[in-house]
Amino acid sequence: MNSVKTDFEPAEEDAMLKVARSVVEAAVLGQEPGETLPPELAAKPGFGMFVTLRRGKMLRACIGNFGAARTKTVGELLRYAASETAMNDSRFPSIHPRELPFLTVEISPMYDPHDVKESGEDRANAVTVGEHGLSITMGGQRGLLLPQVATENGWDEVTFLGQVCRKAGLAKDAWKNANAKLMTFRGRHFVSTPEPAELDVAELSASELQRLLVISDALLSNTSGQFRLSPFLLQSSKSPVGIVVETLNGLRATALMPSASIPDLLKTAAANIIEDARRQGIEIQPTQRIRLLSHAIALQPKDYPSRFGMLGRSALIAQRGDQFALQLPQEDMGDSLANVLKSTGFTLAQWTASEVEMLAFQIREIRRAPHEVGFASTPVPPGVRPAAVAGTFYPGNEVDMNKQLDAFFASKTESEPGPFRAIMLPHAGWPYCGDIIAETLQRVTIPNLVVVIGPKHRQEGANWSVSAAQKWQIPGARIPLDEEAADFLCSKVNLLRREDEAHRKEHGCEVLLPFLHRKNPELRIVPIAIGAADFDLLDELGDALRLLREERGGDLLFVISSDLNHFATEEENRRLDEMALAQLRAVDPKGLYDVCLENRISMCGMRPAVAVLKSLLNEEGQTCGVEITRYDTSARVTKDTSSVVGYAGALIS
């Protein structure tokens, strides 16, 4: 097999980087590239090529061509990879013209491909970290990692193999399977970095971040506020950088100014807090936390919502003329977008019509520890998963939480609760769906063991994850996990992993726990978060759930945590939701899976619902019936019918 030339001269590397940047810029601007490769270099045969774009440490796009069926040239591979990366990486928002000066361009030509002939665990002996990249193909799924990925992350060979399996959506040890086609290859890595043009908050040291708290306090108390910071932190930023400063008594100010230094942003935020405190006649307390914003990405309506998933926890700013609103990170980018629009009175339609500019920012937070201001610290002990969304999705203290629970349950007609094998509950903020949760649970006897299966909204952690914590905390209570049930399910499902990271900020289970705990204070739980999976992969989970019921008998309830379609108009959302609910009523897991994918119905807990339905249909001698207890949309709360989310409760007998 022909390979990319491996001994590139420095002049050739420079030429390839210039052409890659030229192709990226031309694709984004809708122009023809201004640079071409020298003819001899362009005509060299090639095997593969990846082009990667970054903003500082933040990945913006990466696409390549690997193992072409026919021989391609270096010129063809480079132009394809650069143009595709610029325009067609569907994981990320499109590259905006304003980002072009700040992009780092990386080229990774690939050569020397070899199929791994070894079998089982011996395959690890064929891999050398620092030399090899990996490709794995199995059952129609494929994953690839470049050589530098293992080096950058400090992985050994086995970890590297497990990570390429994870990239393919396979079990961590699938590389040992004889049906898995495993390939190694070698590669080069060229990088072209821009001039230091923007502040990358990921590069700030812990000592610099802590110094910002000291300076903020000095400014708020009208003392000198000496700016003893590194030259890097003091330099002007050539792109918009912002600071959000919040005091212990809740005063907050945002400073967002192009080409402003960190000290200037701090001064502006402190002056705004001082003025706000004077106007309200309240005392200024010390700084509680500072959030730094960098790497502005202009979001484009054409990308919404499919290309927003990789933004992670970003801050959003919506601006029209002199009016702007800031939305700090939430668990779901769609929720953040809806809320930042709502807080300004803008609508999704106005953004789509380009009347509103929407920016996403990388965020870095510095928080003052409670003991630093004389507060008694109450650390969460090891093995306890702290409440992550108390205070945002639902009240953050026990008194207010219980008042809301009282109101939700009191407003529902009392009915005689009964046993059910499974239920479905929505998991949005309580103002949107708390009454639907309560109305459904009024009909249900909550047993001592509840398995809550919801979607994985975030990238962190295993793709299929069971919480490794011993207890989950909510205001006023710590709910124990059923360790035996959790370990049982992991032993039966190859993809399930017991770990904490996928659950650390996940809200799908947590928002339901106060309701379930109110109904049964002796509750034990198994929280599960499910990421990407095709229909057949869900068979294994369905079988494990069925076996768990055979093991535990009737003292078990499966809870599907799911909202319905996200962010269509009220009329369209109701139409799409009814298509999904019709398949749920029909107890048709394949029908539910297909109708959601074919019609792009963003029912986030569709896969958990499919797995639970499969488990119930496979129980010997059992029939299955589904009753929808209540359906509504977010419009009844927001009064905005231009972009809604659907919510439903369901009882499954």
Side-chain angles (χ1 to χ4, degrees), residues 207-208 211-212 214-215 224-231 233-234 263:
S207 61
E208 285 178 324
R211 182 66 187 153
L212 294 182
V214 175
I215 294 170
S224 59
Q226 295 295 316
F227 293 108
R228 290 193 292 272
L229 301 171
S230 71
L233 191 56
L234 285 167

Side-chain angles (χ1 to χ4, degrees), residues 108-311:
S108 300
M110 302 146 71
Y111 62 95
D112 195 24
H114 286 282
D115 290 328
V116 175
K117 303 299 185 183
E118 288 84 350
S119 60
E121 294 186 356
D122 290 341
R123 287 183 155 192
N125 298 326
V127 180
T128 302
V129 168
E131 290 186 21
H132 290 144
L134 291 175
S135 169
I136 191 168
T137 306
M138 180 177 173
Q141 294 176 267
R142 184 176 183 180
L144 180 146
L145 290 175
L146 296 170
Q148 62 266 27
V149 175
T151 306
E152 291 169 356
N153 288 281
W155 294 337
D156 60 16
E157 286 78 9
V158 172
T159 304
F160 194 18
L161 286 160
Q163 289 296 322
V164 78
C165 292
R166 180 181 174 188
K167 181 78 177 287
L170 300 170
K172 186 171 66 174
D173 57 355
W175 57 273
K176 303 176 188 177
N177 194 310
N179 295 320
K181 181 180 178 182
L182 187 65
M183 179 183 288
T184 65
F185 59 88
R186 298 176 191 269
R188 299 289 299 277
H189 186 220
F190 315 146
V191 181
S192 168
T193 57
E195 292 297 321
E198 59 180 343
L199 179 68
D200 186 352
V201 296
E203 294 183 29
L204 301 183
S205 68
S207 61
E208 285 178 324
L209 294 172
Q210 290 300 313
R211 182 66 187 153
L212 294 182
L213 288 171
V214 175
I215 294 170
S216 178
D217 283 349
L219 290 167
L220 290 173
S221 60
N222 290 304
T223 57
S224 59
Q226 295 295 316
F227 293 108
R228 290 193 292 272
L229 301 171
S230 71
F232 176 73
L233 191 56
L234 285 167
Q235 73 180 5
S236 285
S237 167
K238 297 181 182 177
S239 66
V241 172
I243 277 184
V244 183
V245 177
E246 184 177 337
T247 67
L248 286 164
N249 57 340
L251 293 174
R252 190 175 84 182
T254 301
L256 181 70
M257 300 181 294
S259 303
S261 67
I262 294 293
D264 286 340
L265 289 165
L266 271 173
K267 288 177 182 177
T268 300
N272 290 338
I273 286 176
I274 291 169
E275 174 60 24
D276 195 19
R278 184 196 61 77
R279 188 170 56 251
Q280 297 183 49
I282 60 178
E283 179 186 359
I284 298 175
Q285 293 187 5
T287 309
Q288 180 183 29
R289 60 183 166 188
I290 296 173
R291 295 179 175 97
L292 293 171
L293 312 179
S294 70
H295 292 76
I297 298 175
L299 303 183
Q300 302 175 63
K302 67 178 182 179
D303 296 336
Y304 175 74
S306 60
R307 284 185 169 216
F308 284 8
M310 293 290 279
L311 283 172

Side-chain angles (χ1 to χ4, degrees), residues 32 67 94 137 168 184 199 267-268 287 301 459 538 556 603 635 641:
E32 284 297 314
S94 300
T137 306
T184 65
L199 179 68
K267 288 177 182 177
T268 300
T287 309
Q459 288 182 295
L538 296 166
L556 169 63
M603 175 184 178
T641 60

